[in-house]
Amino acid sequence: MKKNWWKALAVVLLLYVAVAGLLMPVPRLAILNESIRNLYFHVPMWFGMTFILVASVYYSVRYLRTPTPELDILAHESAKTGILMGVVGLATGSIWARYTWGAWWTNDPKLNGAAIAMLIYGAYLVLRSSFTDEQQRARISAIYNIFAFATAMPLFYILPRLTDSLHPGAGGNPAFAKYDLDSNMRLVFYPAVIGWTLLAFWLAQVASRLSLLKQKVYEKQLA
Amino acid sequence: MKNSLPKLRPVLLLLLGLVLPVLRAAAQATSEPEMADTLRHDGKIYVVVAVITVVLAGLLFFLISLDRKLSRLEKEVKE
């Protein structure tokens, strides 16, 4: 119970976000209309993804310093959770684009940057699956993970800002444009970011524990 | 069971505190550009909110039970 307080917090925050995200007043803006509420669901996917990928890189660096299978599993499952969040982010963004811009996908720098970054992480999974030797797999994918992170983050957050982008918050503007500086929106947005990020860590933790357990059981069977 | 109630109190208080702004917002009436006001007042937006809450609660409950089963299994393997 003491160790799991953050999971309870995640449950409370996510339920709050589901209710308040739909019912709290939002700024009345043309074109965006009620879809401004996507800020509570689409944007936290990217926040959660970023935080969990930072954790993944952290575990990868630790693995390279002290190679243990636990650290490899943690890095791998964190990256997988990050990829899941990113895919959900792309999918939700695509739905929004269809009804706001009229197309499922546009060649917007923000969209393409995110897509390329996701492909880079997709390659991480492909790379992992191409080794049979466990230590080689762990070491090389840890190194790749660091480079993937260093390449993906500018694609997500820096390059789209250097050019014009239709995406809200992009195109030279800081991410927190006027529509999310609204104090009512902050009351939901910040809990949403924390809640979805905690959920990402929760999922990664459960997946890692399962993976670790599987390994232990195999070891026991061999012994 | 007796012991779990005091532990839950801060969680419930936090939830209550977070919901307060929603109640205030529900009490305010506004009229400006085209938004889903009718849905919010007379319509069935609350039905959707309830449905989403149930779906989310169900998924979270599943995750919690998965977490617990995993903890039990971890204990078993350790022994």
Side-chain angles (χ1 to χ4, degrees), chain A residues 102-194:
Chain A
W104 294 105
W105 192 267
T106 64
N107 278 327
D108 194 273
K110 185 109 175 164
L111 273 63
N112 282 346
I116 295 165
M118 289 319 295
L119 288 176
I120 290 170
Y121 269 99
Y124 169 79
L125 298 181
V126 176
L127 181 75
R128 274 196 78 93
S129 63
S130 63
F131 292 106
T132 44
D133 183 66
E134 274 166 34
Q135 284 184 4
Q136 198 183 24
R137 175 176 62 206
R139 196 172 63 243
I140 292 174
S141 54
I143 294 164
Y144 180 85
N145 191 19
I146 295 166
F147 280 105
F149 183 79
T151 324
M153 286 304 130
L155 282 167
F156 280 125
Y157 298 114
I158 300 170
L159 291 181
R161 271 186 208 146
L162 297 178
T163 55
D164 268 331
S165 168
L166 273 177
H167 192 282
N173 304 317
F176 293 88
K178 62 171 191 270
Y179 56 84
D180 39 5
L181 274 177
D182 183 83
S183 57
N184 272 327
M185 290 197 84
R186 279 209 204 110
L187 273 176
V188 186
F189 179 59
Y190 295 153
V193 167
I194 298 168

Side-chain angles (χ1 to χ4, degrees), chain A residues 1 4 7-16 18-20 22-29 33-34 36-37 41 184 187 191 196 199 202-203 205-210 212-213 216-217 220, chain B residues 7-8 11 14-15 18-19 21-22 24-26 28 30-37 40 45-46 48-49 52-53 56-57 60 63-64 66-68 70-79:
Chain A
M1 190 70 195
N4 289 332
K7 291 173 184 171
L9 184 68
V11 171
V12 170
L13 288 179
L14 288 178
L15 289 173
Y16 162 72
V19 176
L22 290 167
L23 297 180
M24 285 279 278
V26 291
R28 290 157 176 267
L29 300 176
N33 302 76
E34 294 280 2
I36 197 168
R37 293 181 194 278
F41 303 98
N184 272 327
L187 273 176
W196 289 108
L199 184 75
W202 192 355
L203 290 173
Q205 193 222 40
V206 167
S208 303
R209 281 162 61 197
L210 181 67
L212 219 73
L213 205 62
K216 266 187 197 157
V217 170
K220 263 195 182 169
Chain B
K7 274 183 201 163
L8 276 175
V11 176
L14 180 62
L15 192 60
L18 284 168
V19 168
V22 181
R24 193 198 57 160
Q28 284 176 341
T30 42
S31 59
E32 267 174 271
E34 173 199 6
M35 299 300 242
D37 290 320
R40 211 137 277 128
I45 188 70
Y46 293 104
V48 183
V49 173
I52 292 176
T53 311
L56 190 64
L60 288 173
L63 185 58
I64 291 167
L66 213 63
D67 197 314
R68 286 190 161 175
L70 208 54
S71 298
R72 227 172 294 144
L73 214 61
E74 275 169 341
K75 232 183 227 169
E76 253 175 63
V77 169
K78 228 180 203 175
E79 277 158 14

